Amino acid sequence: MKKVLFILSELDDADIDWLIRVGSKQDVSSGTTLISEGKPVDTLYILLEGTLVVSISAMTGREVARLSSGEVVGEMSFVDSRPPSATVQTLENCLVLAIPRTQLAEKLKQDIAFGCRFYRALAIMLSHRLRGTVKQLGDDKDKPAAENNGVDPDMAETVAVGQARFDDMLTRLKSQ
């Protein structure tokens, strides 16, 4: 499930306009490290195109995940202000929207409604991730994934809104 769908489905159009205006569209070469485990991160990234590889030193740098278009990285460190628990690198040339932490933090302080929508979206996204992890560790790990990438059917409409907003964001950013 694309994490950005949770975020974009909760934000309104003005919020998305702000993200596009404040964020910078960046073409990132293959093999570039976006986030280094244990080192402070000053950017929240939305992966628009390409593939990222996530690795952790506790597993001797072994790949633990591959992320594709629509994923968000740097959000955990944004929420808890701790250094990242993993390294994130580009597997191929990627296009990202880089949102500076300082500007996002300032927006959250100044715009309480935006903050409510943004943090609600992060809470839903992190809850979904935790449920998926628990499911992988539990008895259901060999069962096929549910339809809609494991999203509760009640959330299907919300995710569809997020997908439409992501597609619009991508189109707008590519035309810049």
Side-chain angles (χ1 to χ4, degrees), residues 40-164:
V41 61
D42 61 359
T43 307
L44 181 80
Y45 294 98
I46 298 174
L47 178 60
L48 302 170
E49 292 180 339
T51 305
L52 301 175
V53 175
V54 180
S55 61
I56 55 174
S57 61
M59 298 180 76
T60 59
R62 194 178 88 216
E63 178 182 316
V64 293
R66 283 190 184 204
L67 307 175
S68 59
S69 173
E71 295 295 336
V72 177
V73 293
E75 78 286 355
M76 287 175 55
S77 293
F78 185 81
V79 170
D80 68 9
S81 299
R82 295 178 60 196
S85 58
T87 294
V88 180
Q89 294 180 300
T90 57
L91 182 63
E92 57 192 358
N93 292 339
C94 293
L95 179 65
V96 299
L97 180 63
I99 302 161
R101 177 187 184 99
T102 54
Q103 288 180 279
L104 182 55
E106 190 61 32
K107 173 76 168 169
L108 291 165
K109 275 186 201 175
Q110 293 178 357
D111 187 341
I112 294 169
F114 172 80
C116 289
R117 291 186 296 273
F118 183 80
Y119 282 120
R120 174 177 162 71
L122 285 180
I124 292 168
M125 182 183 72
L126 293 170
S127 174
H128 182 265
R129 181 190 299 157
L130 181 58
R131 287 181 188 277
T133 300
V134 169
K135 188 172 185 172
Q136 282 181 334
L137 296 172
D139 294 334
D140 293 340
K141 68 180 177 182
D142 294 325
K143 292 182 183 177
E147 289 183 35
N148 291 326
N149 294 314
V151 174
D152 185 313
D154 294 336
M155 288 194 65
E157 185 175 329
T158 300
V159 170
V161 168
Q163 182 66 57

